[in-house]
Amino acid sequence: PWSACPYKNAPPQRAVTISIKVDVAHRMARDARRADFSDRVKAGLRNLRATIGRRDAILETVRQANASLDPQDVGTWLLHQSSQWIPAPCWVLVTHDANGQLAILADIGLTSDIRPSVWATANWVIRHGTEFFSADLATDSRKMPGTIGTVVAFPLICRTRTVAALVGIDSEPSRVAPQLGACLPLLRAILEPPAVALDNALALQKMEA
């Protein structure tokens, strides 16, 4: 009978279940904190090299980048490619508009809190014509007040001119700046066709205007 059962006053089993769930949640949160943006970039370098290091990768990029003469289409295509190459939550392409002012041509995942970071990074890249990597913009030695997050950014260079800035950003800081190692020269090479395609599309748009 139940009255004789020695376990009748034992705590309900669900208390143990809750404890297990809490432990799992803590482990998942801890693992998520470890896998910051720089760590995710590092973990994906082998796949990135396999993707952009293929013999036909440049030819395929040339074909796709020139599939449209609309700058918006070229920019949107490039951002989708970039998100496959490097897992940034936000990608933005900044270039000069018809009046010569910097403007956002296309974006994926852009939010108001990281908009100042995008502008500051894009300005720096276009002014210097070189890549920009930062673990934490808030503490970066290049002094960009009001900025946050981890950043990878690349200049799109055509005929020695920086046509645009390609900015990937995660609003959370990382332990170290993202490192691309041997993939960086490959990325520089594969970004040349989109730079030429974008420059041609912008020139055509300006001429039509």
Side-chain angles (χ1 to χ4, degrees):
W2 175 251
S3 59
C5 176
Y7 304 110
K8 68 176 182 177
N9 295 320
Q13 183 64 29
R14 61 183 177 184
V16 177
T17 304
I18 292 173
S19 176
I20 292 173
K21 288 183 177 179
V22 169
D23 289 343
V24 171
H26 285 169
R27 286 200 302 271
M28 290 176 66
R30 182 188 62 205
D31 292 343
R33 287 194 296 270
R34 286 177 180 170
D36 60 28
F37 181 43
S38 292
D39 286 340
R40 298 198 305 274
V41 170
K42 183 178 180 180
L45 285 181
R46 180 176 296 180
N47 288 337
L48 175 61
R49 187 167 187 174
T51 299
I52 64 178
R54 298 191 334 264
R55 183 174 299 178
D56 61 340
I58 294 290
L59 293 177
E60 184 178 334
T61 302
V62 170
R63 178 179 58 80
Q64 293 180 354
N66 288 278
S68 173
L69 292 176
D70 184 340
Q72 186 91 34
D73 290 344
V74 178
T76 300
W77 166 82
L78 179 56
L79 294 189
H80 282 288
Q81 284 296 113
S82 300
S83 65
Q84 294 176 24
W85 295 334
I86 299 175
C90 171
W91 280 100
V92 183
L93 187 63
V94 178
T95 188
H96 291 96
D97 61 16
N99 298 318
Q101 302 298 315
L102 286 182
I104 293 176
L105 181 63
D107 71 88
I108 298 175
L110 180 60
T111 55
S112 58
D113 60 323
I114 58 175
R115 190 176 286 267
S117 304
V118 169
W119 283 119
T121 303
N123 269 287
W124 192 97
V125 169
I126 290 176
R127 187 167 64 251
H128 292 84
T130 190
E131 293 84 12
F132 183 103
F133 304 130
S134 178
D136 185 2
L137 286 175
T139 60
D140 196 282
S141 61
R142 285 161 284 199
K143 303 298 181 186
M144 297 182 174
T147 58
I148 58 172
T150 309
V151 167
V152 293
F154 308 90
L156 295 187
I157 299 175
C158 175
R159 305 178 184 94
T160 71
R161 293 183 301 106
T162 302
V163 177
L166 177 64
V167 181
I169 187 168
D170 187 320
S171 61
E172 296 297 324
S174 295
R175 294 180 298 105
V176 296
Q179 301 292 328
L180 295 176
C183 288
L184 184 55
L186 296 174
L187 268 173
R188 287 172 178 162
I190 209 164
L191 286 175
E192 286 182 14
V196 174
L198 181 61
D199 190 47
N200 290 338
L202 289 170
L204 179 62
Q205 184 183 64
K206 187 175 181 179
M207 185 171 60
E208 289 177 342

